Amino acid sequence: MNPTPFGTNTNTETNTDTDSRTKTRTHTPSAAVPDALRDFETPVAVLDVARVRANARRVVAYCAGHGLRWRPHVKTHKSLRVARIQLEAGAAGLTVATPREAEIMAEVTSDLLLAYPPVGEARLRRLMALPAAVSLTVALDSERALDDLAASAEAAGRRVGVFVEVDLGMHRVGVQGPDEAVALARRVRAADSLDFRGILFYPGHIRLPVEEQDADLAAAASRLDAVREALERADLEPPVVSGGSTPTIWRSHDFPGITEVRSGTCIFNDRDMVSLGVCKEDACAYTILATVVSTAVPGQAVIDAGSKALAKEELRSAGAGYGALLGHPELHVAALSEEHGIIRLAGSDWKPRVGDRVRVVPNHVCVSVNLQDRILAFENGAAEAWPVEARGRF
Amino acid sequence: MNPTPFGTNTNTETNTDTDSRTKTRTHTPSAAVPDALRDFETPVAVLDVARVRANARRVVAYCAGHGLRWRPHVKTHKSLRVARIQLEAGAAGLTVATPREAEIMAEVTSDLLLAYPPVGEARLRRLMALPAAVSLTVALDSERALDDLAASAEAAGRRVGVFVEVDLGMHRVGVQGPDEAVALARRVRAADSLDFRGILFYPGHIRLPVEEQDADLAAAASRLDAVREALERADLEPPVVSGGSTPTIWRSHDFPGITEVRSGTCIFNDRDMVSLGVCKEDACAYTILATVVSTAVPGQAVIDAGSKALAKEELRSAGAGYGALLGHPELHVAALSEEHGIIRLAGSDWKPRVGDRVRVVPNHVCVSVNLQDRILAFENGAAEAWPVEARGRF
């Protein structure tokens, strides 16, 4: 990691306790921990709001250049304030995965896409109870989901848009080919309470470094072409073709016929995105501020950011460890317990002391955000706690 | 997994919607999903309260048989109601890792152990603000943590107990040998506001199947012996020797001089504990209830329990996947996205349909609980939502 715009902080701290053991301590200069963050209890998530805004502008500019809409997935941030930044930058609607995300985000947009199969009576009840002004679209891949949705929408007296989800090679969800896509789209058209609004795909299997994505992308594009052509032949031309993931974000225009991009991670970025070449280190807007709590074991420092702050997810690209240390490109968080992160110091001249603070870029930002009650939004030298309103289920 | 006491559920469900597509559906009998859970939105955590009580009784009986106290770590459940079950069963005090856990658990016990270095002014402020009636003990391994704690305690006008944490081979935190343990214990004795209450260790490195733990356990015991003997020679005999992890729980009495066991996971258990031989499948009290949301990709079913419900942690013992399916011992959750769990069906005769429900035992229960707002406590055929009060930081 390069030094961040936060700069370095030569942190001379005076302990103001009155006890006789009080002493003035000069901390090792700790890159990238600004003064304004010094009093906060750790571990805590910190957002560089200027970077969030810059990330949003970058995506909107890319989309504008290719005639695409950005309908960002809010799973990454689950925050109304971050959603407002996205919408103010030019996002057209929002994407959600859960009823709670939909309920919260209905406060800031009337154009919601549930990019998740709306299966189960309880889930449908919550979706049908969204404010009437919300234009809801859902993605699905089964007759069962479609029929239950149609029945619920009719009972609730609302119209719901449907994207038929298509599998372009990830093999998670999505119909497998043109015939099934046509059959489902026809069934949507036949339902009085539903509107066929297009097709949706998620190319989450394309994670190679950006410069090596060509073959996988061509295969996905070919599958997409086949589905689109079959729908057109059946007089079911999809008004919207919704795609995009952050690893493929700058290649979104290579998916034939695509009209919108849902990429969510790009608003914060993370160690995975840096290692895939999707962004530079200075586009990582989210870190965990942590404190060194032990140096008792030789050759390592232990910080208070563990799996309950960073999430213990392997790097999806190649590489070891669970987080990068700002200002210490030679180091990473090598091991995690629930409340401990272990940094092995071999190869570094950093001499951590108990009480020092560091900032960690997690491997996968979405799952780290999901662990937080609140995020310290840091801008213009001041920090403010932002709630993570759409976290949780209820 | 064996069939659970919940039994099987031949679930004939009538869709009561008035739509013309309404039909009566007979679900595949789904083992281990009781009727009382049918209406709940998924994914949701479910607790078998009878099993929780049985697990508590088993640990208390073991401890009583070996003259040990059980001071369970609440990080596993973060719930006041579960803590009450532990205390009613005979637990002597509670162990916590965070200020929030301490604040919440102070409602049900006056004997709290923070098994975590109390480093940082904000953390110390919260600890010193605990109700005066709370007897607080903390574990630490550094002079810096000790001196700051002493100063804070003196300023707050309270006494705090100290355990010197000793590394028995895990190499996470803890002083490295007898000399350092004696030096820190002396420094505790010299601080007016602190009481030396003993030593603490966490044998988290001993995770082998129970029957193969002997060599690692002997090495740890030898390190423990050396520290205890040095302290005794220095007239600093530890009143308490606090140890125990769930993987070693039934071997706790093999640690020389041990007086208390902090094991936390044993209250719920998980796939890891089953695979290590620590417990049988029928001691797993916590599951995630999930719904099949897609069967579009041949050979697999997708459920709505992903990494934001189960946590994407590798099995710490050997084995693939992220969770075991109750009633389907031939299957496991093979892959996770944030809101999707993928079950590969090869080798199973289960024919899942969209809308079917399953229950999943996570690999590591503590991190799954930490993802929940609430847990459905299921007992005597009825379910009640229990909050997870100590989740989060603030």
Side-chain angles (χ1 to χ4, degrees):
Chain A
M1 294 280 151
N2 295 324
T4 78
F6 287 147
T8 56
N9 166 35
T10 320
N11 178 359
T12 305
E13 177 186 320
T14 304
N15 187 325
T16 54
D17 288 334
T18 54
D19 186 83
S20 63
R21 277 170 296 271
T22 296
K23 39 202 158 310
T24 300
R25 299 182 302 265
T26 304
H27 281 195
T28 308
S30 174
V33 180
D35 282 350
L37 298 180
R38 216 175 52 194
D39 291 337
F40 289 97
E41 185 183 333
T42 59
V44 68
V46 177
L47 211 55
D48 181 333
V49 179
R51 289 186 180 189
V52 174
R53 294 186 203 282
N55 290 340
R57 282 193 303 268
R58 197 175 303 133
V59 176
V60 168
Y62 165 80
C63 287
H66 292 279
L68 301 173
R69 289 155 43 110
W70 182 35
R71 191 205 281 276
H73 204 310
V74 305
K75 73 186 173 85
T76 302
H77 56 74
K78 295 183 181 252
S79 152
L80 282 172
R81 286 170 178 80
V82 177
R84 279 196 197 99
I85 290 175
Q86 293 174 314
L87 292 164
E88 285 163 13
L94 297 172
T95 304
V96 301
T98 71
R100 174 142 182 98
E101 289 172 3
E103 288 160 359
I104 297 292
M105 294 302 153
E107 291 185 33
V108 291
T109 185
S110 59
D111 187 356
L112 282 176
L113 165 62
L114 178 80
Y116 200 81
V119 173
E121 285 176 34
R123 189 179 265 121
L124 282 168
R125 268 197 303 275
R126 284 178 78 172
L127 295 172
M128 294 307 112
L130 287 170
V134 168
S135 166
L136 175 67
T137 304
V138 305
L140 51 76
D141 66 8
S142 67
E143 290 186 1
R144 167 71 190 266
L146 193 164
D147 293 350
D148 287 357
L149 174 68
S152 289
E154 189 155 313
R158 69 186 299 158
R159 298 190 68 75
V160 177
V162 173
F163 287 160
V164 172
E165 182 149 10
V166 181
D167 179 9
L168 295 193
M170 188 183 181
H171 305 321
R172 183 174 70 180
V173 297
V175 299
Q176 295 297 292
D179 293 348
E180 289 162 273
V182 168
L184 266 192
R186 280 214 179 99
R187 202 173 178 101
V188 175
R189 276 275 173 83
D192 293 339
S193 55
L194 305 182
D195 292 320
F196 175 62
R197 292 199 182 141
I199 55 178
L200 177 145
F201 65 93
Y202 176 64
H205 60 298
I206 308 180
R207 291 192 187 285
L208 304 167
V210 169
E211 60 274 16
E212 296 171 28
Q213 290 173 341
D214 286 1
D216 286 351
L217 214 146
S222 163
R223 291 171 78 116
L224 181 56
D225 261 339
V227 169
R228 281 177 54 243
E229 284 161 14
L231 287 166
E232 282 167 21
R233 278 196 304 274
D235 204 20
L236 288 160
E237 189 173 359
V240 175
V241 176
S242 177
S245 70
T246 294
T248 59
I249 185 167
W250 314 121
R251 303 293 302 272
S252 297
H253 59 283
D254 289 333
F255 291 92
I258 191 170
T259 64
E260 72 173 29
V261 171
R262 299 188 311 279
S263 311
T265 304
C266 55
I267 191 68
F268 290 169
N269 292 308
D270 55 24
R271 191 171 172 233
D272 247 321
M273 294 310 116
V274 173
S275 66
L276 286 169
V278 176
C279 69
K280 300 288 187 195
E281 293 86 343
D282 65 6
C284 290
Y286 173 100
T287 53
I288 297 292
L289 178 68
T291 301
V292 174
V293 296
S294 174
T295 58
V297 178
Q300 70 182 33
V302 180
I303 59 174
D304 55 7
S307 65
K308 287 178 173 171
L310 290 167
K312 192 176 177 181
E313 291 207 0
E314 309 291 328
L315 210 53
R316 290 169 290 175
S317 53
Y322 301 100
L325 269 71
L326 284 192
H328 296 287
E330 76 284 12
L331 295 173
H332 61 258
V333 180
L336 291 182
S337 308
E338 286 162 57
E339 302 285 355
H340 303 78
I342 296 181
I343 301 166
R344 306 221 167 89
L345 300 170
S348 175
D349 59 5
W350 184 41
K351 305 287 180 217
R353 302 196 309 170
V354 171
D356 284 355
R357 293 190 156 200
V358 294
R359 291 172 62 207
V360 182
V361 179
N363 286 0
H364 184 185
V365 68
C366 309
V367 290
S368 175
V369 170
N370 188 51
L371 297 166
Q372 316 301 326
D373 313 276
R374 64 179 198 178
I375 297 179
L376 289 180
F378 185 76
E379 190 167 32
N380 300 325
E384 179 192 14
W386 287 4
V388 186
E389 295 95 337
R391 206 205 70 77
R393 306 274 169 193
F394 302 103
Chain B
M1 294 277 153
N2 294 326
T4 78
F6 287 148
T8 56
N9 167 33
T10 320
N11 179 358
T12 304
E13 179 185 318
T14 303
N15 187 324
T16 54
D17 290 332
T18 54
D19 187 84
S20 63
R21 278 170 297 271
T22 296
K23 42 202 153 312
T24 301
R25 299 184 300 265
T26 305
H27 280 195
T28 308
S30 174
V33 180
D35 281 349
L37 297 179
R38 215 174 54 191
D39 291 338
F40 289 99
E41 185 183 331
T42 58
V44 67
V46 177
L47 211 55
D48 181 331
V49 179
R51 290 186 181 190
V52 174
R53 294 186 204 282
N55 289 340
R57 282 194 302 269
R58 197 175 304 135
V59 175
V60 168
Y62 165 81
C63 287
H66 293 279
L68 302 172
R69 288 155 42 107
W70 183 37
R71 191 204 280 276
H73 204 311
V74 306
K75 72 183 174 89
T76 302
H77 56 75
K78 294 182 181 253
S79 153
L80 282 171
R81 285 172 178 79
V82 177
R84 279 197 196 98
I85 289 175
Q86 292 173 315
L87 292 163
E88 286 164 12
L94 297 171
T95 304
V96 301
T98 71
R100 174 144 182 97
E101 289 172 3
E103 289 161 0
I104 296 291
M105 295 302 153
E107 291 185 34
V108 290
T109 185
S110 59
D111 187 356
L112 281 176
L113 165 61
L114 178 80
Y116 200 82
V119 174
E121 286 177 35
R123 189 179 264 120
L124 282 167
R125 268 197 304 275
R126 284 179 76 170
L127 294 172
M128 293 308 113
L130 287 170
V134 168
S135 167
L136 176 68
T137 304
V138 305
L140 52 77
D141 65 9
S142 69
E143 291 186 0
R144 167 70 190 267
L146 193 163
D147 294 352
D148 287 357
L149 174 68
S152 290
E154 189 153 314
R158 69 186 299 158
R159 298 190 67 76
V160 177
V162 173
F163 287 159
V164 172
E165 181 149 9
V166 181
D167 179 10
L168 295 194
M170 187 182 181
H171 306 319
R172 184 174 69 178
V173 298
V175 299
Q176 295 297 294
D179 294 348
E180 290 162 274
V182 168
L184 266 192
R186 279 215 179 97
R187 202 173 178 101
V188 175
R189 276 273 172 86
D192 292 340
S193 55
L194 305 182
D195 292 321
F196 175 62
R197 291 200 182 141
I199 54 179
L200 177 144
F201 64 92
Y202 176 64
H205 59 302
I206 307 179
R207 291 192 187 287
L208 303 168
V210 170
E211 60 274 18
E212 296 172 27
Q213 290 172 342
D214 285 2
D216 287 351
L217 214 147
S222 164
R223 291 172 79 118
L224 181 56
D225 261 338
V227 170
R228 282 177 53 243
E229 284 162 14
L231 287 166
E232 282 167 20
R233 279 195 304 275
D235 204 20
L236 288 159
E237 189 173 0
V240 175
V241 176
S242 176
S245 70
T246 295
T248 60
I249 185 166
W250 313 120
R251 304 293 301 271
S252 297
H253 59 282
D254 289 332
F255 290 92
I258 191 170
T259 65
E260 72 174 28
V261 172
R262 300 188 310 281
S263 310
T265 303
C266 56
I267 192 68
F268 290 169
N269 293 307
D270 55 24
R271 190 169 172 233
D272 249 322
M273 295 309 115
V274 173
S275 66
L276 287 169
V278 176
C279 69
K280 300 288 187 196
E281 292 87 343
D282 66 5
C284 291
Y286 173 99
T287 52
I288 298 292
L289 178 68
T291 301
V292 174
V293 296
S294 174
T295 58
V297 178
Q300 71 182 31
V302 180
I303 59 174
D304 55 7
S307 65
K308 286 177 172 171
L310 289 166
K312 191 176 175 180
E313 291 207 358
E314 309 291 329
L315 211 54
R316 289 169 291 176
S317 55
Y322 300 100
L325 269 71
L326 284 194
H328 296 287
E330 76 285 11
L331 295 173
H332 61 259
V333 180
L336 290 182
S337 308
E338 288 162 56
E339 302 285 357
H340 303 80
I342 295 180
I343 302 164
R344 305 220 168 90
L345 300 171
S348 176
D349 60 6
W350 183 42
K351 305 287 179 218
R353 301 197 308 170
V354 170
D356 284 355
R357 294 191 155 198
V358 294
R359 291 173 62 207
V360 182
V361 180
N363 285 0
H364 183 184
V365 68
C366 309
V367 289
S368 175
V369 170
N370 188 50
L371 297 167
Q372 317 301 327
D373 315 275
R374 66 178 197 179
I375 296 178
L376 291 180
F378 185 75
E379 190 167 32
N380 299 326
E384 179 191 14
W386 287 5
V388 186
E389 295 94 338
R391 205 206 70 80
R393 307 276 170 192
F394 302 104

